[in-house]
Amino acid sequence: MHYCAKIVLAKSDYNFFGPGVRDLLLDIESEGSVKAACEKMGMSYSKAWKMIRTVEKALSTEVVTRVQGGKSGGSASLTEAGKEMLKRYMRFEKRCNQAISEIYEQEFNH
C-alpha cells in the first residue's frame, strides 16, 4: 500500500497550477519552445497554451515570453515571474510531500 497526493493551487472557482503546469514550464525552459515541450510531453499545442493562459490569468502576469518564428523558428522561455512561481510551487510541493509522507508513516507504518 502507498499514498498518492497531487498538490494543486486554485483560485476560488478554478485550479490553475499543478504537476502538469509544473512539467510544462520545466520543459519550456529546457527545450526553449512551447512546441518542443508539447512534443516531449505528448500534449497538444492548444492545450499547452490554454494551461499557460489560465496560469497567467490567475497570476495577472505573463509567465511565458514568446518570440515569433521566422527562418530560425520561434522560441519561448519563462519570464522572471514564471521562474519565481515555478520555484515557489516546487518548494511548496516538496514540503507538502514531506509532511504527507511523515503522516502516512505515522498512520500506516507505525
Side-chain angles (χ1 to χ4, degrees):
M1 180 170 62
H2 66 281
Y3 72 91
C4 181
K6 180 177 168 182
I7 308 302
V8 178
L9 302 177
K11 287 285 196 170
S12 59
D13 57 343
Y14 63 96
N15 297 344
F16 72 92
F17 207 109
V21 172
R22 175 203 61 213
D23 293 346
L24 176 61
L25 295 183
L26 284 170
D27 286 345
I28 290 170
E29 194 67 1
S30 68
E31 299 295 324
S33 98
V34 175
K35 182 179 177 189
C38 290
E39 289 171 1
K40 184 175 178 182
M41 294 180 74
M43 176 185 293
S44 75
Y45 189 74
S46 61
K47 180 176 181 175
W49 278 110
K50 182 178 178 185
M51 292 167 68
I52 293 165
R53 284 191 295 275
T54 299
V55 171
E56 291 179 339
K57 176 186 169 197
L59 300 177
S60 299
T61 190
E62 191 175 66
V63 295
V64 175
T65 185
R66 24 326 199 160
V67 175
Q68 291 293 337
K71 285 185 178 181
S72 60
S75 67
S77 61
L78 302 186
T79 63
E80 287 306 313
K83 289 176 186 177
E84 181 63 22
M85 183 63 190
L86 179 60
K87 181 174 74 172
R88 291 174 69 193
Y89 172 82
M90 290 174 60
R91 191 171 53 231
F92 177 66
E93 182 183 41
K94 181 179 178 180
R95 292 179 66 198
C96 287
N97 283 321
Q98 288 169 340
I100 292 167
S101 181
E102 289 174 19
I103 295 166
Y104 176 83
E105 289 299 318
Q106 293 167 2
E107 293 297 327
F108 295 100
N109 292 329
H110 54 283

